[in-house]
Amino acid sequence: MPLVAGIDSSTQSCKVVVREADTGALVRDGRASHPEGTEIHPDRWWEALVSAVDAAGGLDDVAAVAVGGQQHGLVALDESGAVVRPALLWNDTRSARAAAELTEELGPRAWAEAVGSVPVASFTVTKLRWLAEAEPHHAARVAAVALPHDWLTWRLAGHGPDDPDLEALRTDRSDASGTGYWSPATGEYRHDLLVRGLGHDAVLPRVCGPAESAGTLAYGPNRHALLGPGAGDNAAAALGLGMVEGDVALSIGTSGVVSAVSATPAADPSGSVAGFADATGEFLPLAVTLNGARVLDAAARILGVDHARLAELALTVPPGSDGLVLVPYLEGERTPNRPHASGSFHGLTLATSTPGHLARASVEGLLHGLADGLAAMVALGTRPDRVSLIGGGARSEAVRRCATSVFGTSVEVPAPGEYVADGAARQAAWVLSGAPEPPSWERSGSQSYAAAEEDLSATAAMRERYATARDLVLDRLGAGN
Ligand SMILES: Nc1ncnc2c1ncn2[C@@H]1O[C@H](COP(=O)(O)OP(=O)(O)O)[C@@H](O)[C@H]1O
Ligand SMILES: O=C(CO)[C@@H](O)[C@H](O)COP(=O)(O)O
């Protein structure tokens, strides 16, 4: 039976799965860490990919490969195929002023109509404007602009400084829709918006269809495997989960993401919802926070405990943390657009000054950010029939249980796994099959967390208290200068 590989080059690590193309059965997997930071040379991603592939037993026997990846990161290439400067990642907020300028120039409604989203600092077009203003010598050298997954796919096809064919760059609809210069509604690039950011035109990766081959692998001895077009990580996760309309995914990775499959493109002039495309030919409106699982990492660090103990502590305290609220803007925030904000605890009393309260308020704070995102999606027409929790943070028992009270609904927790890498593998199998639909792969082992009566009765008051606290935050010292 042929094998396929799926790769997830995400913010904190690279993960590889090798699966049977027909059944989706897991054959082997591997992972490797990425360095910390919001500015990373793409060579570090390549090195991690090579290590993760080695850990997964190599790619010699696979018939197709696809790459899912963190969205938006700016990979600027010169004429010789060299990377012009380290990539600015989706969670690098230095382009916040450029985002505000660009939004003001056209107006939020025009941006939403043109490209489905109002650009915030995460979007590639704002990073290009920052580059043009702050490092004009680098901007002048830019001959092509790619995203993390486009660049890795290009490298897997054997390109790079030794074979710098910029015209061979490929991407897909889902990741192109996070650039700020591609329209999910028309399926066309807006080179005028690219020029508005960068100051001049550049080669952009050709946008492949959902199951179109992006070329052939040139990695080690394997020169015959097909390359899939890849996808942005959220669209890859949707494919890995087999999401259909009515499914909402809450992903708690480095980012917090609420996403839902839709048959129509979204265009939200308020900027809360990004109107992205998915990896199957449909659309994937989503709302993203900068503060996902790292809020849990920070709370565990403050308390000097590991994740398991953090969860135990959190679950000693009732829903609503007796009024203690964390506004979790530890990295600034993207939804709402507050790139310079810092985090704040509100409602501290002698009674709430306990490790348990701090733990539960931290878990609830990150979930409130996602609940606000879901509310914005619902206002635009999303119908959440089933809510699933994925990403590293979903491994926490406290996240699972607190989610029922913050969201006021039951949640599904799919069996712990690498759904972005799985989605990339499923895309690879789809490309290999040449069929009109992706292969149906069975998924088992979901757990259901039902909302208890006392959880549900706390929801409205908690949401209201969070909404009051949400606006009472200080900017980070020195931020925005
Ligand atoms: N059991 C756990 N409880 C809470 N957080 C966890 C747990 N396991 C992993 N994490 C957190 O999940 C994050 C990594 O999740 P992942 O989805 O792989 O992120 P990304 O895709 O952004 O690289 C890390 O911040 C890590 O600390
Ligand atoms: O910016 C977005 C989507 O718009 C993020 O979802 C990134 O794509 C990073 O994802 P993770 O590494 O947190 O999974």
Side-chain angles (χ1 to χ4, degrees):
M1 189 175 291
L3 300 180
V4 291
I7 298 172
D8 171 17
S9 178
S10 69
T11 313
Q12 297 189 44
S13 61
C14 184
K15 305 138 194 180
V16 176
V17 297
V18 175
R19 289 186 175 270
E20 288 183 359
D22 297 345
T23 64
L26 182 66
V27 177
R28 41 184 214 259
D29 59 3
R31 65 186 295 145
S33 293
H34 286 156
E36 285 284 325
T38 62
E39 173 180 310
I40 290 178
H41 197 288
D43 286 350
R44 304 292 88 73
W45 298 330
W46 178 252
E47 290 156 10
L49 183 149
V50 169
S51 300
V53 162
D54 280 353
L59 298 178
D60 296 358
D61 54 353
V62 303
V65 185
V67 184
Q70 54 172 313
Q71 299 198 247
H72 312 295
L74 169 60
V75 182
L77 302 175
D78 71 11
E79 286 290 351
S80 73
V83 171
V84 169
R85 76 177 312 291
L88 302 185
L89 306 198
W90 63 278
N91 53 354
D92 188 293
T93 52
R94 80 188 72 178
S95 58
R97 201 181 60 193
E101 280 170 16
L102 285 165
T103 303
E104 171 128 5
E105 286 168 21
L106 291 190
R109 186 168 295 279
W111 276 103
E113 280 166 9
V115 291
S117 305
V118 182
V120 289
S122 294
F123 282 69
T124 325
V125 69
T126 73
K127 298 179 190 302
L128 289 171
R129 171 64 71 85
W130 176 86
L131 191 71
E133 288 179 350
E135 299 180 352
H137 55 296
H138 282 147
R141 275 180 56 209
V142 176
V145 183
L147 298 169
H149 110 256
D150 316 342
W151 183 78
L152 288 168
T153 305
W154 189 66
R155 298 284 281 123
L156 283 171
H159 300 293
D162 294 338
D163 179 4
D165 181 1
L166 300 179
E167 297 295 336
L169 282 161
R170 296 288 180 271
T171 192
D172 86 308
R173 295 167 66 250
S174 66
D175 228 5
S177 59
T179 58
Y181 43 80
W182 185 82
S183 164
T186 66
E188 301 290 336
Y189 275 122
R190 290 285 306 260
H191 277 266
D192 58 319
L193 298 179
L194 172 81
V195 172
R196 186 174 279 277
L198 179 60
H200 64 86
D201 209 352
V203 173
L204 295 173
R206 186 164 79 66
V207 182
C208 295
E212 184 183 338
S213 170
T216 312
L217 185 68
Y219 185 88
N222 191 338
R223 306 271 149 168
H224 59 270
L226 292 175
L227 283 167
D233 52 4
N234 298 297
L239 191 56
L241 287 168
M243 280 167 66
V244 294
E245 266 191 89
D247 281 332
V248 167
L250 304 178
S251 167
I252 304 175
T254 313
S255 58
V257 184
V258 187
S259 61
V261 174
S262 166
T264 50
D268 174 17
S270 83
S272 297
V273 177
F276 290 177
D278 83 344
T280 69
E282 298 211 270
F283 301 92
L284 193 76
L286 44 80
V288 183
T289 72
L290 291 185
N291 296 288
R294 279 175 169 163
V295 176
L296 306 175
D297 297 347
R301 197 163 55 240
I302 292 171
L303 293 171
V305 297
D306 62 12
H307 280 299
R309 181 66 188 139
L310 182 77
E312 276 171 19
L313 284 169
L315 293 172
T316 61
V317 168
S321 308
D322 294 322
L324 186 65
V325 175
L326 173 68
V327 182
Y329 300 160
L330 310 189
E331 291 256 74
E333 193 43 278
R334 160 171 168 184
T335 313
N337 184 19
R338 293 186 184 155
H340 306 307
S342 59
S344 319
F345 277 104
H346 302 269
L348 268 173
T349 62
L350 288 178
T352 60
S353 301
T354 74
H357 286 89
L358 189 144
R360 180 147 195 146
S362 302
V363 174
E364 289 179 345
L366 103 79
L367 292 169
H368 279 300
L370 288 169
D372 285 353
L374 180 57
M377 305 248 304
V378 167
L380 282 192
T382 294
R383 184 172 42 86
D385 294 337
R386 180 171 60 169
V387 174
S388 299
L389 270 179
I390 57 167
R395 295 177 194 260
S396 157
E397 189 64 16
V399 166
R400 298 168 175 199
R401 295 197 183 280
C402 294
T404 60
S405 48
V406 172
F407 286 89
T409 184
S410 304
V411 295
E412 290 284 313
V413 185
E418 296 303 342
Y419 288 98
V420 177
D422 289 347
R426 188 161 177 237
Q427 182 193 67
W430 190 8
V431 171
L432 185 67
S433 72
E437 301 291 331
S440 29
W441 285 359
E442 287 291 308
R443 259 196 325 108
S444 60
S446 275
Q447 270 180 277
S448 193
Y449 286 73
E453 207 47 58
E454 72 264 24
D455 289 353
L456 293 178
S457 59
T459 304
M462 287 163 70
R463 297 285 299 129
E464 216 169 290
R465 192 164 169 86
Y466 178 79
T468 308
R470 194 172 49 202
D471 295 329
L472 307 175
V473 296
L474 296 177
D475 278 358
R476 293 197 297 278
L477 272 184
N481 295 337

